[in-house]
Amino acid sequence: MIIQRLAVIGVGLIGGSFAVALRKAGVVGRIIGVDTNAENLALAFSRGLIDESAPDVASAVEGADVVFISVPVCAISAVVKEIVPLLPDGCIVTDGGSVKAEVVRQCDALMPTGCRFVGGHPIAGTEHSGAAAAFPELFSGKRCVLTPGATADPAALETVSLLWSAIGADVCRMEAGHHDRIFAEISHLPHAIAYTLVHAVGTADVEGENVLSYSAGGFRDFTRIASSDPVMWRDIAMMNRTALLASIDGFSASLAELRRRIDTEDTAGLTEFFITAKQFRDGIV
Ligand code: NAP
């Protein structure tokens, strides 16, 4: 047993999977969930992701050793503001949000004396949302990045690390701004491009044809993540806009270079461009 009582605020894909994985691992005494979406909360309870569904955040965080916040990133600090007067002394607050610098800055500043905030981001997910999509193996063998800020004491960090490790995650620690620049490139940019590609092709006019009706494996594989929750991705783009804009500029420069090689019929350059990309891709799979 690592902790006695865990409160999960936002029992969707991430919160629900975290809860059910911890239950399965048997390292938390009791897990209480709360969610603004009553239907989702009821489903989380009926699916056995949580032991108890709380009617409000006050009942959820009462007596909690750890509070895990898994709501869209722009809503995290508002949730923390709401729970701050209710937190038991010594409580650890952590989150699973995909953007860290702003979240850690805001939440650190809000922590009352005696409570600690530890930022976290599991590098695992799917294009589906809600308790219906949660499953206990989601984080197994995947990275979880912890981004401790000013109030994260070593004991709190250790407890949060132990929880993620207990469900099979490979925990690493990183400075929050560094995290945001890395994940702008490797996660936020690909989502932005997938949405943009589907948007562009979906609105393309080729002699009045419905171009999307010709989509096959390649297009569908490449754009799977454009089926992700638009609100979640709107929030990520807004919260990490500086790093994401830099990533989009870098990508635009690469695309312009590809365009130039096609336009000038630079076949050697085009081959070299594709070989380099293929080597990078082959190296990660
Ligand atoms: P999700 O499946 O949509 O679950 C979030 C749940 O929280 C929803 O039921 C939502 O209700 C509820 N909620 C929203 N605002 C709330 C509030 N103020 N108080 C209580 N509940 C609230 O989302 P998710 O995919 O689990 O994502 C949660 C967090 O994890 C996000 O910060 C995201 O950046 C991060 N994350 C996601 C992934 C991924 O692949 N999905 C991966 C890593 C990290 P409504 O449906 O009514 O909004």
Side-chain angles (χ1 to χ4, degrees), residues 18 68 95 122 139 144 146 160-169 171:
F18 186 64
F68 179 65
D95 78 312
F139 307 114
C144 178
L146 298 184
V160 177
S161 289
L162 284 174
L163 290 172
W164 284 108
S165 301
I167 58 177
V171 179

Side-chain angles (χ1 to χ4, degrees), residues 19-243:
V20 73
L22 288 167
R23 275 186 103 231
K24 208 172 159 201
V27 292
V28 175
R30 195 151 182 84
I31 303 178
I32 297 90
V34 67
D35 201 298
T36 46
N37 183 332
E39 206 177 307
N40 185 61
L41 185 62
L43 182 65
F45 181 69
S46 67
R47 285 199 63 209
L49 307 180
I50 50 177
D51 300 307
E52 211 179 292
S53 56
D56 47 50
V57 283
S59 336
V61 305
E62 193 181 348
D65 301 300
V66 173
V67 176
F68 179 65
I69 304 174
S70 41
V71 303
V73 282
C74 287
I76 294 174
S77 67
V79 167
V80 170
K81 242 179 228 160
E82 190 183 353
I83 63 173
V84 153
L86 311 162
L87 291 175
D89 192 38
C91 186
I92 299 166
V93 180
T94 183
D95 78 312
S98 308
V99 181
K100 296 271 61 89
E102 193 54 19
V103 169
V104 171
R105 191 188 62 74
Q106 292 172 349
C107 296
D108 264 345
L110 290 166
M111 275 305 106
T113 311
C115 295
R116 307 284 179 213
F117 182 78
V118 179
H121 176 205
I123 313 305
T126 73
E127 70 277 27
H128 304 297
S129 300
F135 60 100
E137 299 81 17
L138 178 61
F139 307 114
S140 179
K142 305 286 167 40
R143 272 200 178 144
C144 178
V145 183
L146 298 184
T147 57
T151 74
D153 75 342
L157 197 53
E158 183 60 15
T159 302
V160 177
S161 289
L162 284 174
L163 290 172
W164 284 108
S165 301
I167 58 177
D170 180 11
V171 179
C172 65
R173 294 172 194 183
M174 206 180 273
E175 190 274 319
H178 185 61
H179 164 281
D180 289 355
R181 289 185 290 280
I182 288 179
F183 288 94
E185 290 286 347
I186 204 69
S187 173
H188 308 169
L189 178 67
H191 279 82
I193 293 169
Y195 280 119
T196 307
L197 179 64
V198 180
H199 198 279
V201 175
T203 54
D205 183 11
V206 183
E207 290 99 39
E209 282 272 15
N210 176 5
V211 179
L212 286 178
S213 70
Y214 293 91
S215 71
F219 189 82
R220 291 175 189 211
D221 286 352
F222 183 61
T223 58
R224 175 184 62 80
I225 53 179
S227 286
S228 304
D229 181 11
V231 171
M232 183 174 105
W233 282 97
R234 176 202 65 193
D235 278 14
I236 291 170
M238 287 296 99
M239 285 289 261
N240 201 21
R241 62 185 174 282
T242 305

